[in-house]
PDB file of all heavy atoms in Angstrom:
ATOM      1  N   CYS A  10     120.391  79.847 125.375  1.00 97.00           N
ATOM      2  CA  CYS A  10     120.405  81.081 126.180  1.00 97.00           C
ATOM      3  C   CYS A  10     119.828  82.276 125.426  1.00 97.00           C
ATOM      4  O   CYS A  10     119.586  83.312 126.021  1.00 97.00           O
ATOM      5  CB  CYS A  10     121.829  81.400 126.633  1.00 97.00           C
ATOM      6  SG  CYS A  10     122.531  80.169 127.730  1.00 97.00           S
ATOM      7  N   GLY A  11     119.669  82.138 124.125  1.00 97.00           N
ATOM      8  CA  GLY A  11     119.109  83.209 123.319  1.00 97.00           C
ATOM      9  C   GLY A  11     120.142  83.875 122.435  1.00 97.00           C
ATOM     10  O   GLY A  11     121.339  83.866 122.728  1.00 97.00           O
ATOM     11  N   VAL A  12     119.662  84.443 121.352  1.00 98.00           N
ATOM     12  CA  VAL A  12     120.537  85.063 120.356  1.00 98.00           C
ATOM     13  C   VAL A  12     121.390  86.189 120.956  1.00 98.00           C
ATOM     14  O   VAL A  12     122.603  86.236 120.710  1.00 98.00           O
ATOM     15  CB  VAL A  12     119.733  85.543 119.130  1.00 98.00           C
ATOM     16  CG1 VAL A  12     120.596  86.360 118.178  1.00 98.00           C
ATOM     17  CG2 VAL A  12     119.142  84.333 118.401  1.00 98.00           C
ATOM     18  N   PRO A  13     120.840  87.101 121.757  1.00 97.00           N
ATOM     19  CA  PRO A  13     121.706  88.145 122.321  1.00 97.00           C
ATOM     20  C   PRO A  13     122.871  87.573 123.136  1.00 97.00           C
ATOM     21  O   PRO A  13     123.989  88.076 123.072  1.00 97.00           O
ATOM     22  CB  PRO A  13     120.760  88.967 123.199  1.00 97.00           C
ATOM     23  CG  PRO A  13     119.423  88.790 122.562  1.00 97.00           C
ATOM     24  CD  PRO A  13     119.413  87.347 122.099  1.00 97.00           C
ATOM     25  N   CYS A  14     122.620  86.502 123.857  1.00 98.00           N
ATOM     26  CA  CYS A  14     123.683  85.849 124.625  1.00 98.00           C
ATOM     27  C   CYS A  14     124.712  85.226 123.677  1.00 98.00           C
ATOM     28  O   CYS A  14     125.920  85.323 123.903  1.00 98.00           O
ATOM     29  CB  CYS A  14     123.073  84.789 125.540  1.00 98.00           C
ATOM     30  SG  CYS A  14     124.199  84.125 126.755  1.00 98.00           S
ATOM     31  N   GLY A  15     124.232  84.607 122.614  1.00 98.00           N
ATOM     32  CA  GLY A  15     125.137  84.041 121.619  1.00 98.00           C
ATOM     33  C   GLY A  15     125.986  85.103 120.947  1.00 98.00           C
ATOM     34  O   GLY A  15     127.175  84.894 120.697  1.00 98.00           O
ATOM     35  N   VAL A  16     125.374  86.247 120.659  1.00 98.00           N
ATOM     36  CA  VAL A  16     126.124  87.368 120.069  1.00 98.00           C
ATOM     37  C   VAL A  16     127.279  87.754 120.994  1.00 98.00           C
ATOM     38  O   VAL A  16     128.418  87.921 120.551  1.00 98.00           O
ATOM     39  CB  VAL A  16     125.192  88.580 119.799  1.00 98.00           C
ATOM     40  CG1 VAL A  16     125.995  89.828 119.474  1.00 98.00           C
ATOM     41  CG2 VAL A  16     124.212  88.258 118.692  1.00 98.00           C
ATOM     42  N   GLU A  17     126.985  87.894 122.268  1.00 98.00           N
ATOM     43  CA  GLU A  17     128.029  88.264 123.236  1.00 98.00           C
ATOM     44  C   GLU A  17     129.089  87.175 123.351  1.00 98.00           C
ATOM     45  O   GLU A  17     130.282  87.477 123.431  1.00 98.00           O
ATOM     46  CB  GLU A  17     127.422  88.551 124.614  1.00 98.00           C
ATOM     47  CG  GLU A  17     126.686  89.859 124.698  1.00 98.00           C
ATOM     48  CD  GLU A  17     127.589  91.053 124.436  1.00 98.00           C
ATOM     49  OE1 GLU A  17     128.667  91.164 125.044  1.00 98.00           O
ATOM     50  OE2 GLU A  17     127.208  91.890 123.605  1.00 98.00           O
ATOM     51  N   ALA A  18     128.661  85.924 123.358  1.00 98.00           N
ATOM     52  CA  ALA A  18     129.615  84.822 123.464  1.00 98.00           C
ATOM     53  C   ALA A  18     130.586  84.826 122.280  1.00 98.00           C
ATOM     54  O   ALA A  18     131.802  84.728 122.465  1.00 98.00           O
ATOM     55  CB  ALA A  18     128.872  83.483 123.551  1.00 98.00           C
ATOM     56  N   PHE A  19     130.044  84.961 121.066  1.00 98.00           N
ATOM     57  CA  PHE A  19     130.916  85.007 119.894  1.00 98.00           C
ATOM     58  C   PHE A  19     131.796  86.262 119.911  1.00 98.00           C
ATOM     59  O   PHE A  19     132.961  86.204 119.527  1.00 98.00           O
ATOM     60  CB  PHE A  19     130.101  84.924 118.599  1.00 98.00           C
ATOM     61  CG  PHE A  19     129.822  83.513 118.170  1.00 98.00           C
ATOM     62  CD1 PHE A  19     128.616  82.897 118.498  1.00 98.00           C
ATOM     63  CD2 PHE A  19     130.765  82.795 117.449  1.00 98.00           C
ATOM     64  CE1 PHE A  19     128.357  81.588 118.098  1.00 98.00           C
ATOM     65  CE2 PHE A  19     130.518  81.490 117.047  1.00 98.00           C
ATOM     66  CZ  PHE A  19     129.308  80.887 117.382  1.00 98.00           C
ATOM     67  N   ARG A  20     131.263  87.380 120.362  1.00 98.00           N
ATOM     68  CA  ARG A  20     132.036  88.623 120.426  1.00 98.00           C
ATOM     69  C   ARG A  20     133.237  88.472 121.362  1.00 98.00           C
ATOM     70  O   ARG A  20     134.359  88.818 121.019  1.00 98.00           O
ATOM     71  CB  ARG A  20     131.147  89.780 120.896  1.00 98.00           C
ATOM     72  CG  ARG A  20     131.900  91.111 120.998  1.00 98.00           C
ATOM     73  CD  ARG A  20     131.002  92.261 121.445  1.00 98.00           C
ATOM     74  NE  ARG A  20     130.005  92.525 120.410  1.00 98.00           N
ATOM     75  CZ  ARG A  20     128.704  92.662 120.629  1.00 98.00           C
ATOM     76  NH1 ARG A  20     128.211  92.589 121.852  1.00 98.00           N
ATOM     77  NH2 ARG A  20     127.881  92.892 119.632  1.00 98.00           N
ATOM     78  N   HIS A  21     132.998  87.924 122.537  1.00 98.00           N
ATOM     79  CA  HIS A  21     134.088  87.780 123.511  1.00 98.00           C
ATOM     80  C   HIS A  21     135.072  86.687 123.087  1.00 98.00           C
ATOM     81  O   HIS A  21     136.277  86.826 123.311  1.00 98.00           O
ATOM     82  CB  HIS A  21     133.524  87.531 124.905  1.00 98.00           C
ATOM     83  CG  HIS A  21     132.915  88.757 125.493  1.00 98.00           C
ATOM     84  ND1 HIS A  21     133.659  89.714 126.160  1.00 98.00           N
ATOM     85  CD2 HIS A  21     131.643  89.213 125.484  1.00 98.00           C
ATOM     86  CE1 HIS A  21     132.868  90.697 126.546  1.00 98.00           C
ATOM     87  NE2 HIS A  21     131.636  90.422 126.142  1.00 98.00           N
ATOM     88  N   ALA A  22     134.569  85.638 122.460  1.00 98.00           N
ATOM     89  CA  ALA A  22     135.452  84.592 121.951  1.00 98.00           C
ATOM     90  C   ALA A  22     136.355  85.153 120.846  1.00 98.00           C
ATOM     91  O   ALA A  22     137.566  84.924 120.839  1.00 98.00           O
ATOM     92  CB  ALA A  22     134.627  83.424 121.422  1.00 98.00           C
ATOM     93  N   ARG A  23     135.768  85.913 119.945  1.00 97.00           N
ATOM     94  CA  ARG A  23     136.533  86.512 118.843  1.00 97.00           C
ATOM     95  C   ARG A  23     137.633  87.416 119.401  1.00 97.00           C
ATOM     96  O   ARG A  23     138.760  87.404 118.918  1.00 97.00           O
ATOM     97  CB  ARG A  23     135.576  87.287 117.922  1.00 97.00           C
ATOM     98  CG  ARG A  23     136.198  88.247 116.937  1.00 97.00           C
ATOM     99  CD  ARG A  23     137.205  87.676 116.003  1.00 97.00           C
ATOM    100  NE  ARG A  23     136.672  86.753 115.052  1.00 97.00           N
ATOM    101  CZ  ARG A  23     137.437  85.803 114.502  1.00 97.00           C
ATOM    102  NH1 ARG A  23     138.694  85.682 114.836  1.00 97.00           N
ATOM    103  NH2 ARG A  23     136.943  84.986 113.619  1.00 97.00           N
ATOM    104  N   LYS A  24     137.308  88.192 120.428  1.00 98.00           N
ATOM    105  CA  LYS A  24     138.298  89.083 121.034  1.00 98.00           C
ATOM    106  C   LYS A  24     139.489  88.286 121.573  1.00 98.00           C
ATOM    107  O   LYS A  24     140.643  88.669 121.363  1.00 98.00           O
ATOM    108  CB  LYS A  24     137.652  89.900 122.159  1.00 98.00           C
ATOM    109  CG  LYS A  24     138.573  90.915 122.773  1.00 98.00           C
ATOM    110  CD  LYS A  24     137.876  91.755 123.835  1.00 98.00           C
ATOM    111  CE  LYS A  24     138.888  92.731 124.419  1.00 98.00           C
ATOM    112  NZ  LYS A  24     138.442  93.312 125.666  1.00 98.00           N
ATOM    113  N   VAL A  25     139.231  87.166 122.237  1.00 97.00           N
ATOM    114  CA  VAL A  25     140.311  86.310 122.748  1.00 97.00           C
ATOM    115  C   VAL A  25     141.138  85.766 121.586  1.00 97.00           C
ATOM    116  O   VAL A  25     142.376  85.775 121.634  1.00 97.00           O
ATOM    117  CB  VAL A  25     139.753  85.157 123.609  1.00 97.00           C
ATOM    118  CG1 VAL A  25     140.829  84.120 123.905  1.00 97.00           C
ATOM    119  CG2 VAL A  25     139.157  85.700 124.907  1.00 97.00           C
ATOM    120  N   LEU A  26     140.480  85.301 120.531  1.00 97.00           N
ATOM    121  CA  LEU A  26     141.195  84.746 119.382  1.00 97.00           C
ATOM    122  C   LEU A  26     142.103  85.792 118.739  1.00 97.00           C
ATOM    123  O   LEU A  26     143.241  85.492 118.365  1.00 97.00           O
ATOM    124  CB  LEU A  26     140.206  84.193 118.363  1.00 97.00           C
ATOM    125  CG  LEU A  26     139.375  82.990 118.841  1.00 97.00           C
ATOM    126  CD1 LEU A  26     138.277  82.674 117.836  1.00 97.00           C
ATOM    127  CD2 LEU A  26     140.261  81.785 119.095  1.00 97.00           C
ATOM    128  N   VAL A  27     141.614  87.020 118.636  1.00 97.00           N
ATOM    129  CA  VAL A  27     142.417  88.103 118.062  1.00 97.00           C
ATOM    130  C   VAL A  27     143.581  88.442 118.988  1.00 97.00           C
ATOM    131  O   VAL A  27     144.730  88.544 118.551  1.00 97.00           O
ATOM    132  CB  VAL A  27     141.539  89.346 117.774  1.00 97.00           C
ATOM    133  CG1 VAL A  27     142.390  90.558 117.442  1.00 97.00           C
ATOM    134  CG2 VAL A  27     140.565  89.043 116.637  1.00 97.00           C
ATOM    135  N   GLU A  28     143.293  88.611 120.282  1.00 97.00           N
ATOM    136  CA  GLU A  28     144.347  88.955 121.249  1.00 97.00           C
ATOM    137  C   GLU A  28     145.449  87.898 121.274  1.00 97.00           C
ATOM    138  O   GLU A  28     146.621  88.220 121.407  1.00 97.00           O
ATOM    139  CB  GLU A  28     143.761  89.095 122.657  1.00 97.00           C
ATOM    140  CG  GLU A  28     142.955  90.354 122.863  1.00 97.00           C
ATOM    141  CD  GLU A  28     142.259  90.379 124.214  1.00 97.00           C
ATOM    142  OE1 GLU A  28     142.335  89.388 124.999  1.00 97.00           O
ATOM    143  OE2 GLU A  28     141.596  91.403 124.504  1.00 97.00           O
ATOM    144  N   ASP A  29     145.061  86.640 121.162  1.00 96.00           N
ATOM    145  CA  ASP A  29     146.036  85.549 121.223  1.00 96.00           C
ATOM    146  C   ASP A  29     146.595  85.175 119.859  1.00 96.00           C
ATOM    147  O   ASP A  29     147.337  84.205 119.728  1.00 96.00           O
ATOM    148  CB  ASP A  29     145.411  84.328 121.896  1.00 96.00           C
ATOM    149  CG  ASP A  29     145.146  84.554 123.374  1.00 96.00           C
ATOM    150  OD1 ASP A  29     145.481  85.639 123.900  1.00 96.00           O
ATOM    151  OD2 ASP A  29     144.600  83.636 124.014  1.00 96.00           O
ATOM    152  N   GLU A  30     146.208  85.957 118.841  1.00 95.00           N
ATOM    153  CA  GLU A  30     146.699  85.774 117.476  1.00 95.00           C
ATOM    154  C   GLU A  30     146.510  84.345 116.971  1.00 95.00           C
ATOM    155  O   GLU A  30     147.404  83.739 116.384  1.00 95.00           O
ATOM    156  CB  GLU A  30     148.160  86.213 117.368  1.00 95.00           C
ATOM    157  CG  GLU A  30     148.358  87.681 117.706  1.00 95.00           C
ATOM    158  CD  GLU A  30     149.805  88.135 117.648  1.00 95.00           C
ATOM    159  OE1 GLU A  30     150.718  87.292 117.503  1.00 95.00           O
ATOM    160  OE2 GLU A  30     150.016  89.351 117.751  1.00 95.00           O
ATOM    161  N   ILE A  31     145.320  83.815 117.189  1.00 94.00           N
ATOM    162  CA  ILE A  31     144.986  82.473 116.718  1.00 94.00           C
ATOM    163  C   ILE A  31     144.396  82.601 115.321  1.00 94.00           C
ATOM    164  O   ILE A  31     143.424  83.323 115.108  1.00 94.00           O
ATOM    165  CB  ILE A  31     144.012  81.778 117.689  1.00 94.00           C
ATOM    166  CG1 ILE A  31     144.718  81.566 119.033  1.00 94.00           C
ATOM    167  CG2 ILE A  31     143.509  80.466 117.094  1.00 94.00           C
ATOM    168  CD1 ILE A  31     143.829  81.046 120.141  1.00 94.00           C
ATOM    169  N   ASP A  32     145.001  81.908 114.387  1.00 90.00           N
ATOM    170  CA  ASP A  32     144.574  81.950 112.990  1.00 90.00           C
ATOM    171  C   ASP A  32     143.390  81.009 112.801  1.00 90.00           C
ATOM    172  O   ASP A  32     143.551  79.801 112.616  1.00 90.00           O
ATOM    173  CB  ASP A  32     145.743  81.549 112.087  1.00 90.00           C
ATOM    174  CG  ASP A  32     145.429  81.689 110.616  1.00 90.00           C
ATOM    175  OD1 ASP A  32     144.237  81.802 110.245  1.00 90.00           O
ATOM    176  OD2 ASP A  32     146.384  81.671 109.813  1.00 90.00           O
ATOM    177  N   VAL A  33     142.200  81.575 112.855  1.00 92.00           N
ATOM    178  CA  VAL A  33     140.971  80.800 112.771  1.00 92.00           C
ATOM    179  C   VAL A  33     140.872  80.067 111.442  1.00 92.00           C
ATOM    180  O   VAL A  33     140.513  78.882 111.393  1.00 92.00           O
ATOM    181  CB  VAL A  33     139.738  81.710 112.996  1.00 92.00           C
ATOM    182  CG1 VAL A  33     138.452  80.956 112.756  1.00 92.00           C
ATOM    183  CG2 VAL A  33     139.772  82.318 114.384  1.00 92.00           C
ATOM    184  N   GLU A  34     141.187  80.737 110.359  1.00 89.00           N
ATOM    185  CA  GLU A  34     141.083  80.105 109.041  1.00 89.00           C
ATOM    186  C   GLU A  34     142.009  78.902 108.938  1.00 89.00           C
ATOM    187  O   GLU A  34     141.626  77.857 108.405  1.00 89.00           O
ATOM    188  CB  GLU A  34     141.371  81.118 107.931  1.00 89.00           C
ATOM    189  CG  GLU A  34     140.377  82.279 107.890  1.00 89.00           C
ATOM    190  CD  GLU A  34     138.923  81.834 107.847  1.00 89.00           C
ATOM    191  OE1 GLU A  34     138.594  80.847 107.145  1.00 89.00           O
ATOM    192  OE2 GLU A  34     138.100  82.476 108.526  1.00 89.00           O
ATOM    193  N   LYS A  35     143.204  79.027 109.453  1.00 85.00           N
ATOM    194  CA  LYS A  35     144.153  77.920 109.435  1.00 85.00           C
ATOM    195  C   LYS A  35     143.618  76.754 110.263  1.00 85.00           C
ATOM    196  O   LYS A  35     143.705  75.601 109.853  1.00 85.00           O
ATOM    197  CB  LYS A  35     145.505  78.380 109.979  1.00 85.00           C
ATOM    198  CG  LYS A  35     146.551  77.294 110.025  1.00 85.00           C
ATOM    199  CD  LYS A  35     147.854  77.810 110.595  1.00 85.00           C
ATOM    200  CE  LYS A  35     148.845  76.677 110.744  1.00 85.00           C
ATOM    201  NZ  LYS A  35     150.062  77.101 111.427  1.00 85.00           N
ATOM    202  N   GLU A  36     143.061  77.058 111.437  1.00 82.00           N
ATOM    203  CA  GLU A  36     142.512  76.026 112.313  1.00 82.00           C
ATOM    204  C   GLU A  36     141.394  75.258 111.619  1.00 82.00           C
ATOM    205  O   GLU A  36     141.329  74.042 111.702  1.00 82.00           O
ATOM    206  CB  GLU A  36     141.981  76.633 113.606  1.00 82.00           C
ATOM    207  CG  GLU A  36     143.060  77.148 114.524  1.00 82.00           C
ATOM    208  CD  GLU A  36     143.839  76.053 115.218  1.00 82.00           C
ATOM    209  OE1 GLU A  36     143.259  74.977 115.510  1.00 82.00           O
ATOM    210  OE2 GLU A  36     145.035  76.260 115.468  1.00 82.00           O
ATOM    211  N   PHE A  37     140.494  75.979 110.921  1.00 83.00           N
ATOM    212  CA  PHE A  37     139.366  75.300 110.314  1.00 83.00           C
ATOM    213  C   PHE A  37     139.736  74.574 109.017  1.00 83.00           C
ATOM    214  O   PHE A  37     139.060  73.637 108.634  1.00 83.00           O
ATOM    215  CB  PHE A  37     138.184  76.265 110.115  1.00 83.00           C
ATOM    216  CG  PHE A  37     137.392  76.411 111.379  1.00 83.00           C
ATOM    217  CD1 PHE A  37     137.658  77.435 112.266  1.00 83.00           C
ATOM    218  CD2 PHE A  37     136.414  75.486 111.707  1.00 83.00           C
ATOM    219  CE1 PHE A  37     136.962  77.547 113.457  1.00 83.00           C
ATOM    220  CE2 PHE A  37     135.706  75.594 112.896  1.00 83.00           C
ATOM    221  CZ  PHE A  37     135.984  76.621 113.774  1.00 83.00           C
ATOM    222  N   LYS A  38     140.806  74.980 108.364  1.00 78.00           N
ATOM    223  CA  LYS A  38     141.266  74.232 107.191  1.00 78.00           C
ATOM    224  C   LYS A  38     141.715  72.835 107.592  1.00 78.00           C
ATOM    225  O   LYS A  38     141.601  71.897 106.821  1.00 78.00           O
ATOM    226  CB  LYS A  38     142.406  74.980 106.484  1.00 78.00           C
ATOM    227  CG  LYS A  38     141.909  76.114 105.640  1.00 78.00           C
ATOM    228  CD  LYS A  38     143.022  76.781 104.887  1.00 78.00           C
ATOM    229  CE  LYS A  38     142.430  77.952 104.128  1.00 78.00           C
ATOM    230  NZ  LYS A  38     143.398  78.760 103.480  1.00 78.00           N
ATOM    231  N   SER A  39     142.197  72.683 108.821  1.00 71.00           N
ATOM    232  CA  SER A  39     142.649  71.357 109.270  1.00 71.00           C
ATOM    233  C   SER A  39     141.478  70.402 109.479  1.00 71.00           C
ATOM    234  O   SER A  39     141.667  69.211 109.578  1.00 71.00           O
ATOM    235  CB  SER A  39     143.464  71.487 110.567  1.00 71.00           C
ATOM    236  OG  SER A  39     142.643  71.918 111.634  1.00 71.00           O
TER     237      SER A  39
END
């Protein structure tokens, strides 16, 4: 879809992860 679309996708995904207090580092260590 293109880099600008990817930027937005990661931005909105990150916002959900922060709002839901999901520990990304912990998830990826597994």
Side-chain angles (χ1 to χ4, degrees):
C10 296
V12 172
C14 191
V16 168
E17 286 298 310
F19 273 96
R20 179 179 294 132
H21 287 276
R23 165 56 67 205
K24 184 177 179 196
V25 169
L26 295 171
V27 169
E28 286 173 357
D29 291 358
E30 299 178 351
I31 295 173
D32 185 344
V33 173
E34 298 308 320
K35 179 181 175 186
E36 290 287 328
F37 278 94
K38 282 184 183 174
S39 67

